[in-house]
């Protein structure tokens, strides 16, 4: 089974109301890979992830997760969504949140298993506290714990560090690197500096998708940046402004 | 109050009224908690008001056709479930039309009820009972029906606690766990429908929404989990209906309105005092630890 790719897409097209988001996307991600998905805003990163989760259906082409249809594989995939919104008034403890990962199928309801995953991500001390009272970084860890509580073979995270400071971000990525010893990990990020250090391969998404092993990254990174962002004037101008600002300071 | 307690032991109609209030409070605590968690108070209001159509139609048939068995409560159950399913299907299929559907069901249900009541021979005082409740009219056979509704709602609410909690917190994650989110949503709306029927007997359909939302809002202030909210809210509602019934009996006031005024007073009191208490508390004593200070992951 180990030679079945964790993710395989073949000639996938996807559009929202006839506006094409992804075109002719084909790639595979082997099992136990640590893959980063990068690209400009609106380039289709989250759409790509949602196709892998089976939350969206492609207009054309095939998506396979561990060799099967995504909607049949949801039990093997743990997911941490981007910018998670919830009702802050809902009285719910971190433990309650993690226990949601034990829903579905034949998973035991044991709180021990949930507590283990909270320990794994370093926030076991928050178990009985209200989820809404935890800091953004702690909440992110609880949500990772919830995804781990599903006993996944693959973990998908969408911008897991978007609202975190640099220290919290580093510790989340250190945790992911550790988890990668036991499972495939796919992370959507727009932080290219992190990508080259932490991951084994990069998927560049901007309507089309290219996959690069990071071993090749140092040689092609300039070319890569141009490929991904070169045609995106807004991003280029933004970079330029920043340089001017920093030189003026 | 002593007078009321004495009267309860003497009059069976007061015992039935008390029992109806207690039965309704259990379902109301459980379902009200889910209504608040999913923020679908407006849907609950729509279902509650549409019930008048069913009440009126059943009463009309009962009088004109001589169908004595067709108690208006049966009409209420049918109308409430129908309203719940229509609103549910519209909201699942055409989310953007949800508000329109609720408004339509709300008003059309009432209009149909008014038309039937206008065409029903005899006194129209029934209308007031439906709108504002008449808990003193509860009969043993009603009580049996209310007991069955109560059991259905509470058992469903407790069996599917984890699923309903998961859907309230994060619908997408629940869906990925293989939970049929749409089916549970429809089930919850039907539970609301049955609870509304229970509460219509106690406080009438116009005031249902207060009993469904205010005690839960109070309970949320003192709870750390959803089941605590349910428990505290149910106890509060039981207390409020019993107290309201007692006061209304002693002072010769309408029971439903008395219960609602008590409920509103409790809500304002608790929200007022907890808000003031929160403001007086020194800023540094808020429980939360600083960002990024969490210990490293255990290995």
């Amino acid at each position: 089974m180990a030679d079945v790719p964790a993710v395989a897409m073949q000639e996938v097209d996807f559009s929202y109301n006839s506006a094409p988001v992804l075109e002719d996307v084909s790639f595979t991600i082997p099992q136990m890979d640590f893959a980063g998905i990068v690209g400009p805003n609106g380039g289709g990163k989250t759409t790509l992830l949602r196709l892998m989760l089976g939350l969206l259906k492609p207009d054309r082409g095939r998506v396979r997760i561990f060799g099967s249809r995504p909607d049949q594989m949801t039990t093997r995939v743990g997911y941490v969504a981007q910018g998670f919104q919830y009702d802050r008034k809902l009285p719910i403890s971190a433990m309650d949140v993690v226990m949601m990962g034990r829903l579905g199928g034949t998973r035991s309801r044991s709180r021990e298993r949930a507590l283990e995953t909270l320990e794994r991500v370093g926030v076991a001390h928050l178990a009985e506290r209200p989820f809404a009272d935890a800091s953004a970084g702690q909440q992110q860890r609880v949500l990772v714990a919830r995804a781990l509580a599903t006993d996944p073979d693959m973990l998908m995270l969408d911008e897991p560090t978007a609202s975190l400071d640099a220290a919290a971000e580093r510790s989340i990525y250190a945790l992911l690197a550790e988890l990668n010893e036991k499972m495939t990990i796919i992370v959507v990020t727009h932080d290219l500096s992190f990508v080259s250090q932490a991951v084994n391969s990069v998927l560049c998404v901007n309507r089309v998708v290219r996959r690069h092993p990071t071993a090749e990254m140092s040689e092609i990174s300039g070319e890569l940046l141009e490929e991904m962002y070169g045609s995106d004037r807004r991003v280029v101008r933004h970079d330029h402004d920043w340089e001017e600002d920093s030189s003026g300071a | 109050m002593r007078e009321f307690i004495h009267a309860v032991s003497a009059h069976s109609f007061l015992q039935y009224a008390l029992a109806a209030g207690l039965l309704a409070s259990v379902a109301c605590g459980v379902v009200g908690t889910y209504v608040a968690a999913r923020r679908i108070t407006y849907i609950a209001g729509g279902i509650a008001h549409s019930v008048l159509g069913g009440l009126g139609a059943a009463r009309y048939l009962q009088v004109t056709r001589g169908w004595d068995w067709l108690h208006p409560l049966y009409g209420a159950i049918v109308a409430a479930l129908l309203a719940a399913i229509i609103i549910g299907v519209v909201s699942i299929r055409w989310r953007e039309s949800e508000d329109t559907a609720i408004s339509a069901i709300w008003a059309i249900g009432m209009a149909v009820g008014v038309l039937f009541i206008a065409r029903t021979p005899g006194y129209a005082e029934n209308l007031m009972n439906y709108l504002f409740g008449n808990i003193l009219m509860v009969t043993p056979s009603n009580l049996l029906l209310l007991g069955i509704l109560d059991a259905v709602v509470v058992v469903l609410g407790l069996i599917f606690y984890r699923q309903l909690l998961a859907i309230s917190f994060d619908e997408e994650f629940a869906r990925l766990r293989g939970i049929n989110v749409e089916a549970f949503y429809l089930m919850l709306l039907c539970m609301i429908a049955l609870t509304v029927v229970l509460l219509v007997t106690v406080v009438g359909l116009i005031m249902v929404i207060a009993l469904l939302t205010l005690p839960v809002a109070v309970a949320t202030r003192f709870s750390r989990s959803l089941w605590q909210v349910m428990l505290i809210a149910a106890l509060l509602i039981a207390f409020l209906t019993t107290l309201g019934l007692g006061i209304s009996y002693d002072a010769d006031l309408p029971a439903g309105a008395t219960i609602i005024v008590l409920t509103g007073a409790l809500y304002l009191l608790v929200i007022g005092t907890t808000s003031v208490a929160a403001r007086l508390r020194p800023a540094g004593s808020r429980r939360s630890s600083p960002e990024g200070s969490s210990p490293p992951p255990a290995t």
Side-chain angles (χ1 to χ4, degrees):
Chain A
M1 280 304 281
D3 48 350
V4 177
V7 181
M9 284 209 188
Q10 268 176 359
E11 295 162 358
V12 168
D13 287 353
F14 184 83
S15 55
Y16 287 112
N17 305 322
S18 79
V21 180
L22 294 170
E23 278 179 358
D24 198 24
V25 170
S26 300
F27 66 89
T28 58
I29 296 175
Q31 290 193 33
M32 304 308 288
D33 196 10
F34 189 163
I37 299 181
V38 299
N41 290 338
K45 303 189 293 283
T46 297
T47 302
L48 193 68
L49 208 60
R50 294 175 71 84
L51 283 165
M52 294 181 203
L53 287 161
L55 291 170
L56 297 174
K57 300 264 173 292
D59 300 340
R60 184 181 74 96
R62 235 166 62 130
V63 182
R64 287 292 177 270
I65 302 298
F66 296 115
S68 300
R69 286 205 338 248
D71 54 348
Q72 294 169 340
M73 284 291 120
T74 52
T75 51
R76 290 182 67 184
V77 179
Y79 173 50
V80 180
Q82 179 185 12
F84 176 63
Q85 297 289 319
Y86 69 101
D87 181 1
R88 291 187 57 86
K89 278 197 198 149
L90 198 67
I92 186 166
S93 67
M95 184 61 146
D96 287 335
V97 174
V98 177
M99 285 299 284
M100 285 169 200
R102 305 299 295 168
L103 278 168
T106 56
R107 292 179 173 76
S108 78
R109 294 191 190 180
S110 100
R111 296 174 75 83
E112 279 165 35
R113 185 74 190 81
L115 200 57
E116 265 173 45
T117 61
L118 277 171
E119 265 163 29
R120 187 86 185 78
V121 301
V123 288
H125 60 292
L126 300 178
E128 300 306 327
R129 300 242 206 106
F131 179 74
D133 283 3
S135 70
Q138 290 166 338
Q139 287 187 355
Q140 198 61 41
R141 282 169 180 270
V142 172
L143 294 176
V144 173
R146 178 177 71 164
L148 291 177
T150 66
D151 295 327
D153 297 316
M154 172 156 59
L155 198 56
M156 293 187 189
L157 307 96
D158 196 350
E159 305 257 9
T161 59
S163 59
L164 305 186
D165 62 23
E169 179 174 17
R170 270 196 302 277
S171 76
I172 289 274
Y173 280 122
L175 170 65
L176 294 182
E178 249 181 72
L179 293 172
N180 184 226
E181 288 164 18
K182 296 226 174 93
M183 63 189 77
T184 312
I185 295 195
I186 300 177
V187 181
V188 171
T189 177
H190 55 238
D191 182 356
L192 283 170
S193 68
F194 141 72
V195 160
S196 47
Q197 298 164 22
V199 304
N200 314 124
S201 68
V202 177
L203 288 169
C204 300
V205 184
N206 191 4
R207 191 147 5 143
V208 295
V209 174
R210 303 251 157 77
R211 182 168 180 272
H212 307 274
T214 33
E216 302 166 12
M217 282 280 288
S218 54
E219 293 143 49
I220 61 166
S221 61
E223 185 189 324
L224 183 72
L225 278 171
E226 191 167 320
E227 177 189 305
M228 297 316 303
Y229 294 98
S231 61
D232 191 331
R233 283 162 167 267
R234 198 175 58 81
V235 170
V236 172
R237 193 160 60 228
H238 180 84
D239 283 353
H240 188 64
D241 284 346
W242 179 81
E243 273 173 30
E244 275 181 356
D245 283 353
S246 59
S247 61
Chain B
M1 212 58 196
R2 182 172 293 173
E3 200 183 322
F4 172 68
I5 293 163
H6 183 72
V8 167
S9 54
H11 301 295
S12 53
F13 76 93
L14 280 178
Q15 293 163 12
Y16 301 146
L18 213 51
L22 295 177
L23 281 175
S25 59
V26 184
C28 189
V30 172
V31 170
T33 303
Y34 289 129
V35 168
R38 288 221 60 175
R39 287 181 287 183
I40 48 177
T41 310
Y42 190 50
I43 294 183
I47 294 173
H49 285 77
S50 73
V51 158
L52 190 65
L55 287 165
R59 178 74 185 143
Y60 174 79
L61 293 172
Q62 197 183 29
V63 173
T64 59
R65 299 285 170 90
W67 295 351
D68 284 340
W69 55 268
L70 189 65
H71 192 279
L73 273 182
Y74 294 122
I77 294 173
V78 172
L81 289 175
L82 198 63
I85 289 167
I86 293 173
I87 293 172
V89 169
V90 169
S91 121
I92 290 166
R93 290 276 170 81
W94 305 277
R95 178 141 274 181
E96 63 278 15
S97 307
E98 184 185 299
D99 276 0
T100 317
I102 298 167
S103 311
I105 296 282
W106 184 311
I108 293 169
M110 292 207 82
V112 168
V114 169
L115 292 180
F116 272 115
I117 290 165
R119 283 288 165 186
T120 304
Y123 296 115
E125 70 176 327
N126 263 310
L127 176 65
M128 292 296 275
N129 287 346
Y130 303 146
L131 293 180
F132 302 107
N134 195 344
I135 196 171
L136 300 176
M137 302 281 277
V138 174
T139 64
S141 70
N142 293 348
L143 217 46
L144 179 67
L145 179 63
L146 297 183
I148 294 170
L149 295 185
D150 201 41
V152 170
V153 167
V154 173
V155 166
L156 287 176
L158 297 182
I159 289 181
F160 296 115
Y161 176 82
R162 299 171 75 232
Q163 286 82 356
L164 290 169
L165 174 64
I167 293 169
S168 302
F169 181 70
D170 185 352
E171 190 175 310
E172 186 173 75
F173 188 86
R175 195 186 301 279
L176 287 171
R177 295 331 307 150
I179 294 175
N180 189 335
V181 172
E182 284 77 20
F184 274 102
Y185 185 57
L186 284 176
M187 184 191 81
L188 179 59
L189 293 187
C190 289
M191 287 163 62
I192 293 171
L194 299 182
T195 308
V196 160
V197 174
L198 275 161
L199 291 174
V200 162
T201 317
V202 179
V203 293
L205 58 89
I206 290 182
M207 299 185 285
V208 159
I209 208 70
L211 220 47
L212 212 48
T213 53
L214 299 182
V216 167
V218 171
T220 305
R221 296 256 158 165
F222 305 104
S223 304
R224 286 195 149 194
S225 66
L226 222 52
W227 68 261
Q228 284 176 3
V229 178
M230 289 177 187
L231 187 69
I232 296 173
L235 289 172
L236 281 177
I237 300 160
F239 169 73
L240 290 163
T241 51
T242 306
L243 185 67
L245 194 58
I247 291 175
S248 71
Y249 181 82
D250 287 349
D252 194 21
L253 291 168
T258 310
I259 292 168
I260 297 303
V261 168
L262 284 175
T263 306
L266 176 75
Y267 171 76
L268 290 175
L269 184 74
V270 169
I271 299 306
T273 47
T274 51
S275 302
V276 170
R279 204 169 286 183
L280 292 178
R281 199 182 307 158
S285 75
R286 278 286 292 146
R287 54 173 181 209
S288 69
S289 37
E291 171 70 35
S293 70
S294 52
T299 44

